[in-house]
Amino acid sequence: MNNLQPIAFDGIEIDKPIIIAGPCSAETEEQVLSTARELASYGIKIYRAGIWKPRTKPGGFEGVGEVGLEWLKKVKEETGMKVSTEVANRAHVEAALAAGVDMLWIGARTSANPFAMQEIADAIGEISPDTPVLVKNPVNPDLELWIGALERLHNAGVTHLGAIHRGFTAYGKHLYRNMPQWHIPAELRRRIPNLPIIIDPSHIGGKRELVAPLAQQAFDMGFDGLIVESHCNPDCAWSDKTQQVSPDVLNFILNTISLRNDKCTTENITLLRQEIDRLDNDLLEVLNKRMRVCREIGQYKKEHNMQVLQTGRFDSIIQSRVKLANEMGMSTEFMRTVLMAIHEESVRQQLEIFNKR
């Protein structure tokens, strides 16, 4: 996707950072317009509102439908803001574009469905390929699926593309509603450097008090903007009320965020980077020695008819190494991830020993 174009409206590129804000759902005409007026007064240029709302279970509020598109028209006419909404099938695309919606986004459930993505890509490509389209990451942490969704749009002729990182579903209770797993959007940036990546702190955090720190973290990491859920009366919102902020709170957050300088030279940290390179080489040498010992252990297990997996031993390693890592200032999650990767490679190499005739 080397020929991606910057996100633009009517040929005019959007300034960075890109800020998109508005309610999770369009609920009433009054709510949509009231929120839009407040956001516009604070300088927000792109308004978002869900017209069709996918729900895990039937019976919940699934959006007002096409009548909400008329309210978005009034937002454009009254405030001059550009408007955006989520689409999940061809009918949504046709209705939204016919109503003059300026930007579309594709949700996490839809981006995981190649059939739905192809239908949407074909519809946008046929009707209005210059419309900017943002693609949320699939609910599961599958980078290839995310890239595949973007490629379907690109292959259909849509070149004003962007990605939305909204976090990944995780089982159990966590600080975040959806785990950030920042290494995945970071890898997306490495793979497609010219693709704008916008962060959704509302869906990652799931709580309005997490919007500000997540937004700051997004800019600290060099991402291109935010899509934030903002409602004129968040506590009365019909959907996702705990993660929405009022327009005045959003304005406060945006005015307190520090934007990082991406033009500053890195010449002064060249020596430190060279030290990192040296340490990485040392790490590889140590890992190679460790794997050599693991292969010797594998040979011993094979000769003595022992099984490869020794779960008690691995549990002991995890506990002792994690404790030591914590004392050194490293997180439990990081150390567990490293040890699991090392363990998986050790098992793989021992199985190779077992499979040799």
Side-chain angles (χ1 to χ4, degrees):
M1 293 192 285
N2 294 326
N3 63 335
L4 286 177
Q5 301 300 311
I7 295 179
F9 296 122
D10 303 320
I12 301 173
E13 184 176 347
I14 302 172
D15 292 334
K16 293 181 180 179
I18 300 167
I19 306 296
I20 306 166
C24 172
S25 304
E27 301 164 357
T28 66
E29 181 176 341
E30 180 182 3
Q31 169 251 6
V32 167
L33 290 171
S34 176
T35 305
R37 292 184 192 114
E38 288 189 66
L39 290 170
S41 74
Y42 292 125
I44 302 298
K45 305 296 185 186
I46 308 174
Y47 187 76
R48 58 140 291 153
I51 302 299
W52 303 278
K53 300 299 298 180
R55 285 290 171 256
T56 302
K57 294 182 178 180
F61 174 59
E62 296 184 333
V64 296
E66 291 191 27
V67 65
L69 296 173
E70 296 301 317
W71 306 339
L72 292 184
K73 281 185 182 180
K74 291 184 179 181
V75 168
K76 292 182 64 172
E77 293 166 1
E78 184 175 324
T79 69
M81 300 171 82
K82 301 297 184 181
V83 296
S84 61
T85 197
E86 179 178 347
V87 293
N89 56 42
R90 173 178 278 271
H92 292 171
V93 171
E94 292 173 348
L97 293 178
V101 171
D102 301 287
M103 173 185 280
L104 305 175
W105 82 80
I106 296 163
R109 292 175 176 87
T110 308
S111 66
N113 184 336
F115 296 108
M117 281 306 311
Q118 192 61 56
E119 177 182 318
I120 292 167
D122 291 341
I124 299 173
E126 292 167 13
I127 302 169
S128 182
D130 290 333
T131 297
V133 182
L134 307 177
V135 181
K136 288 193 173 185
N137 60 265
V139 291
N140 54 312
D142 187 338
L143 178 59
E144 299 307 322
L145 197 57
W146 196 2
I147 291 175
L150 289 158
E151 287 179 339
R152 288 179 188 277
L153 287 158
H154 184 259
N155 292 344
V158 182
T159 55
H160 295 285
L161 287 173
I164 297 176
H165 173 48
R166 47 81 75 195
F168 302 92
T169 300
Y171 182 75
K173 292 184 178 180
H174 302 276
L175 171 63
Y176 302 110
R177 177 181 177 183
N178 295 290
M179 301 303 289
Q181 298 201 40
W182 292 109
H183 65 285
I184 296 179
E187 175 63 11
L188 178 64
R189 164 129 301 167
R190 189 190 70 81
R191 297 267 293 273
I192 314 176
N194 55 338
L195 178 75
I197 301 178
I198 296 168
I199 307 303
D200 181 347
S202 305
H203 276 91
I204 293 176
K207 304 181 188 73
R208 60 178 65 111
E209 61 267 26
L210 294 177
V211 169
L214 284 165
Q216 183 62 68
Q217 192 167 3
F219 289 123
D220 289 346
M221 295 183 68
F223 292 117
D224 302 291
L226 305 170
I227 179 167
V228 183
E229 291 188 345
S230 181
H231 191 291
C232 57
N233 190 358
D235 288 330
C236 295
W238 296 2
S239 58
D240 286 348
K241 64 181 180 181
T242 61
Q243 66 190 42
Q244 300 194 64
V245 296
S246 61
D248 61 326
V249 169
L250 176 60
N251 183 56
F252 175 80
I253 291 171
L254 294 177
N255 282 321
T256 55
I257 283 176
S258 297
L259 299 179
R260 304 308 177 189
N261 185 356
D262 63 352
K263 302 293 189 296
C264 184
T265 178
T266 60
E267 183 178 348
N268 292 335
I269 59 173
T270 298
L271 291 178
L272 292 174
R273 285 180 167 174
Q274 290 174 354
E275 180 70 2
I276 288 289
D277 292 342
R278 185 187 66 76
L279 291 169
D280 284 346
N281 288 333
D282 290 347
L283 276 173
L284 289 172
E285 287 294 333
V286 171
L287 284 171
N288 184 46
K289 291 176 182 177
R290 192 186 193 283
M291 292 305 162
R292 191 181 309 136
V293 174
C294 286
R295 289 193 294 272
E296 292 178 9
I297 292 173
Q299 186 63 42
Y300 180 89
K301 288 176 180 177
K302 180 179 180 180
E303 292 172 357
H304 292 79
N305 200 30
M306 298 171 64
Q307 63 186 29
V308 169
L309 288 176
Q310 305 285 326
T311 54
R313 163 67 177 163
F314 184 57
D315 287 342
S316 174
I317 288 175
I318 286 282
Q319 291 176 17
S320 63
R321 302 323 189 252
V322 166
K323 181 181 178 182
L324 184 58
N326 290 160
E327 292 172 358
M328 294 177 176
M330 290 177 277
S331 72
T332 297
E333 181 182 0
F334 166 73
M335 201 64 237
R336 282 184 173 275
T337 300
V338 170
L339 290 171
M340 286 298 297
I342 292 173
H343 180 63
E344 289 175 9
E345 178 61 15
S346 300
V347 169
R348 187 192 69 80
Q349 295 211 16
Q350 289 190 21
L351 286 173
E352 281 189 353
I353 299 292
F354 272 59
N355 292 330
K356 287 181 179 177
R357 300 297 179 186

